[in-house]
Amino acid sequence: MQKNNALKSKSLLLGITGGIAAYKAAELVRLLVKAGIDVQVVMTSAACQFITPVTMQALSGKPVFIEMWDSSVGNGMPHIELSRNADVILVAPASADFLAKLVQGRADDLLSTLCLARDCPLLVAPAMNKQMWENPATQRNITQLKADGISLLGPDSGEQACGEIGLGRMLEAEALFALVNAHFTPKLLAGKRVLITAGATLEMIDPVRAITNLSSGKMGYAIAQAAADMGAIVTLVSGASALNAPKNVNTIKAESADAMYSAVMSNVLNQDIFISVAAVADYRPVVQHQDKIKKNTSSLTLELTPNKDILAEVASLPNAPFCVGFAAETENLLAYAEAKRKAKKLPLIVANLANDAMGSDENSVTLLDKNGAHPLERAPKTTIAKLLLAHVFSML
Ligand code: CTP
């Protein structure tokens, strides 16, 4: 885990509500405290059924608040005192019931009152059974929470305490910590060198015709912009794309797979991170005609030859940067993506559905690493870009 001085002297109020994922809050507090964050834990009485305040007190080094009225607090009103002191409130786990209370603006216990009385950002990490998550009532509440400016961290998908498999699991403590890190550190990638490929490649057949694909470059450009905004030194090798070059990014145009390979290889030295978003043609025509092909035959056969796999070559360099691949599939998404991750020896691959992602402003992706699958909620590509970079930072 990277050291991040921006976390020292920050104070975070961690709310824990009643759910089996409350056990993960213990590890989260340990990571937050270790990073130098001042953590004040507030629990609902239901949370105390799952994990004891004594555990949370021992890990945070401070008494835990549960009750609304507490004579040990200066003005006897912890909801005012505690929300004044926090730079951010994180509720993890946030139960379906608690999310509903937030939507309604209820204040019938200390934690909900604190959330209502806050003047700092609120982050929530939902945790519930998949049916509860999918219920239209919960989904309505999620839409409203987002509209109210509350940030959702997760949920994750996978095996649940009830034995079912699906979306609703709370993110792991490490992932939550990475997102808190990103929240406190707008310049999370300060000084890091990041190389990115984006867009479609063009394999010329003759001077006016080419083999290409539907990639718009939006995802790669959004990652380049987000990385630059996070303080990284960014080089973007762009294939065909109609987008304007991102700000504060060294953008190099390279339209064929071969040109992209050369541009990447001459810039890869000393890079910390390589993110291969471009939809690179796997093949190019054996012959590139100097003059326009005339239609003077009844059929035409194009002979193709394979292009070099840029990502695989970068990942196998002796001092390879941290490599992130993208897998755009139309079927068997996770299985195909994980197979590509292993074949190319990548620590991380981003799986997305080609027909859903290509050209769109939004995307829903699953990050695959050695710990398994981490689905990200459907979101604008600009948001996906930040979450991906926060995940990369947590893995560096
Ligand atoms: N990639 C690359 N160079 C290539 C081909 C792909 O760098 N010549 C990168 C892409 O940028 C992406 C990942 O590899 O990060 C995609 O893996 P790949 O197996 O090549 O995907 P597809 O070409 O879509 O494979 P397939 O057609 O077999 O699904």
Side-chain angles (χ1 to χ4, degrees):
M1 182 82 51
Q2 294 257 313
K3 275 253 176 294
N4 182 358
N5 288 330
L7 301 183
K8 294 217 167 87
S9 78
K10 293 289 181 203
S11 61
L12 177 144
L13 191 146
L14 177 67
I16 306 176
T17 71
I20 187 67
Y23 77 92
K24 294 184 188 173
E27 175 64 5
L28 176 60
V29 171
R30 199 186 63 77
L31 292 171
L32 293 168
V33 169
K34 198 170 149 210
I37 298 178
D38 177 75
V39 182
Q40 173 63 63
V41 178
V42 174
M43 296 171 72
T44 63
S45 48
C48 301
Q49 301 290 328
F50 294 91
I51 190 160
T52 71
V54 176
T55 304
M56 303 315 296
Q57 175 168 348
L59 290 166
S60 65
K62 286 181 170 191
V64 170
F65 289 93
I66 303 157
E67 301 301 333
M68 185 84 123
W69 310 110
D70 190 325
S71 58
S72 68
V73 177
N75 60 7
M77 291 186 283
H79 56 286
I80 302 294
E81 192 92 350
L82 294 174
S83 50
R84 266 188 205 141
N85 294 339
D87 292 309
V88 67
I89 299 179
L90 165 62
V91 181
S95 64
D97 178 59
F98 191 76
L99 297 179
K101 275 166 77 164
L102 283 179
V103 168
Q104 291 175 0
R106 292 180 62 174
D108 57 2
D109 64 7
L110 177 58
L111 185 57
S112 54
T113 309
L114 275 169
C115 291
L116 197 62
R118 78 186 189 281
D119 62 355
C120 62
L122 174 58
L123 319 176
V124 294
M128 66 199 73
N129 149 282
K130 84 178 179 98
Q131 259 85 29
M132 290 171 87
W133 174 255
E134 285 164 5
N135 191 294
T138 304
Q139 289 305 311
R140 266 198 312 277
N141 289 341
I142 295 298
T143 307
Q144 187 58 51
L145 291 173
K146 285 183 188 164
D148 291 347
I150 294 170
S151 303
L152 272 112
L153 312 185
D156 208 341
S157 91
E159 201 174 322
Q160 305 199 310
C162 54
E164 293 191 82
I165 294 178
L167 210 57
R169 255 165 70 110
M170 189 170 87
L171 288 177
E172 295 301 323
E174 290 266 349
L176 287 176
F177 175 73
L179 291 167
V180 169
N181 216 338
H183 172 83
F184 279 133
T185 323
K187 300 287 176 206
L188 195 62
L189 297 177
K192 294 271 176 248
R193 300 176 67 87
V194 183
L195 179 64
I196 298 166
T197 64
T201 49
L202 276 184
E203 302 300 337
M204 299 309 289
I205 299 168
D206 69 14
V208 295
R209 301 176 177 105
I211 299 174
T212 187
N213 58 67
L214 297 183
S215 170
S216 62
K218 286 178 186 167
M219 190 70 247
Y221 276 54
I223 295 171
Q225 189 62 70
D229 292 347
M230 288 179 176
I233 303 150
V234 184
T235 304
L236 172 67
V237 176
S238 175
S241 171
L243 300 173
N244 292 329
K247 285 191 212 77
N248 301 322
V249 168
N250 172 25
T251 304
I252 301 165
K253 275 278 180 189
E255 293 199 323
S256 68
D258 212 33
M260 194 174 269
Y261 175 84
S262 305
V264 166
M265 288 305 169
S266 51
N267 282 280
V268 75
L269 199 70
N270 297 327
Q271 295 289 343
D272 298 298
I273 301 165
F274 175 54
I275 309 182
S276 184
V277 197
V280 186
D282 291 325
Y283 299 92
R284 66 178 183 281
V286 172
V287 180
Q288 194 182 313
H289 293 264
Q290 293 303 311
D291 294 312
K292 196 169 164 239
I293 301 172
K294 302 307 269 180
K295 56 170 183 299
N296 51 15
T297 52
S298 58
S299 71
L300 179 68
T301 305
L302 266 184
E303 196 186 341
L304 303 177
T305 185
N307 283 323
K308 290 192 193 105
D309 190 318
I310 307 169
L311 175 58
E313 293 219 11
V314 171
S316 62
L317 289 172
N319 285 319
F322 182 95
C323 287
V324 183
F326 266 70
E329 309 291 346
T330 54
E331 54 176 348
N332 300 333
L333 176 63
L334 298 188
Y336 282 160
E338 180 61 8
K340 284 180 187 177
R341 187 179 81 81
K342 292 207 168 112
K344 300 194 190 197
K345 301 192 175 63
L346 309 174
L348 181 64
I349 197 159
V350 184
N352 56 183
L353 288 168
N355 26 3
D356 179 36
M358 278 183 159
S360 165
D361 287 334
E362 291 194 332
N363 203 357
S364 68
V365 307
T366 300
L367 310 183
L368 297 171
D369 59 25
K370 66 176 181 351
N371 295 322
H374 314 279
L376 301 183
E377 279 260 298
R378 188 173 181 78
K381 286 180 173 172
T382 46
T383 306
I384 299 281
K386 287 183 206 151
L387 290 170
L388 169 63
L389 291 170
H391 191 87
V392 169
F393 180 83
S394 75
M395 288 182 73
L396 280 177

